[in-house]
Amino acid sequence: MKTKKINVKTVKFFDIICLTDKVKTFLQENNCQNGLINIFTRHTTVAIRINEKEDGFFKDLKRVVFNDIANPEDDYHHNDLETRDPATLCPINGEECLNGHSHVGQMIMGATSETIPVLGGEIQLGRWQEILLWELDHGRDRKVIFSFVGE
């Protein structure tokens, strides 16, 4: 197995970082030929998804997920600091993040990882597919792990 940890700096809520070229470089540098590549993050307010890299789609997804379903202006039990488990508190700049919408949005978007076949040294993405990291909270440093299993 070959692995690599990378840092990704997001700037703002719903920042979208394309990881496709970084994954391809990792595969080339490690002479990965046939197997599976997994792209994983340990964060619960980030999603890693495969989809088209197109601004209209990004606007639609943000509207549907964060206006219609997980609106930041809605009330969330996760944001009630008097009832929340203190072990889950994560102060940013001295204040707790009120990010219930980010956790709900991540569950709706549905993934902290993607696994993709690699054949003949090439990642098997479709014509329009890209590996995208979506920031669902505020901008910060994020960690992503690439793991290749195969030959």
Side-chain angles (χ1 to χ4, degrees), residues 127-140:
R127 179 177 181 186
W128 305 113
Q129 290 182 321
E130 300 282 349
I131 305 162
L132 305 169
L133 179 141
W134 306 76
E135 176 60 70
L136 305 176
D137 203 356
H138 59 85
R140 64 181 108 167

Side-chain angles (χ1 to χ4, degrees), residues 15-64:
D15 205 2
I16 303 160
I17 310 294
C18 185
L19 300 175
T20 306
D21 287 342
K22 292 181 186 313
V23 171
K24 287 179 179 179
T25 298
F26 167 79
L27 293 171
Q28 289 171 350
E29 289 175 350
N30 288 282
N31 195 29
C32 301
Q33 292 301 306
N34 298 297
L36 295 171
I37 180 78
N38 179 265
I39 303 94
F40 173 79
T41 184
R42 296 172 51 182
H43 305 285
T44 58
T45 55
V46 168
I48 294 179
R49 301 300 304 173
I50 296 172
N51 212 303
E52 188 171 345
K53 185 178 168 189
E54 194 275 319
D55 287 337
F57 162 63
F58 297 160
K59 290 175 185 173
D60 291 340
L61 183 67
K62 184 177 182 182
R63 179 185 51 80
V64 169

Side-chain angles (χ1 to χ4, degrees), residues 48-131:
I48 294 179
R49 301 300 304 173
I50 296 172
N51 212 303
E52 188 171 345
K53 185 178 168 189
E54 194 275 319
D55 287 337
F57 162 63
F58 297 160
K59 290 175 185 173
D60 291 340
L61 183 67
K62 184 177 182 182
R63 179 185 51 80
V64 169
V65 173
F66 290 102
N67 289 357
D68 299 347
I69 299 172
N71 191 313
E73 302 301 318
D74 288 348
D75 290 325
Y76 295 90
H77 294 285
H78 182 77
N79 293 350
D80 183 349
L81 302 181
E82 291 187 23
T83 61
R84 189 157 152 205
D85 179 353
T88 68
L89 297 178
C90 169
I92 303 295
N93 299 325
E95 293 186 26
E96 172 57 28
C97 301
L98 299 180
N99 60 0
H101 68 284
S102 301
H103 291 280
V104 171
Q106 194 274 342
M107 291 300 291
I108 291 165
M109 290 181 68
T112 56
S113 69
E114 289 281 4
T115 301
I116 309 157
V118 176
L119 299 172
E122 299 291 326
I123 193 165
Q124 298 299 297
L125 291 172
R127 179 177 181 186
W128 305 113
Q129 290 182 321
E130 300 282 349
I131 305 162

Side-chain angles (χ1 to χ4, degrees), residues 5-21:
K5 292 181 184 179
I6 66 166
N7 291 316
V8 176
K9 174 100 176 136
T10 61
V11 177
K12 64 187 185 312
F13 170 70
F14 217 73
D15 205 2
I16 303 160
I17 310 294
C18 185
L19 300 175
T20 306
D21 287 342

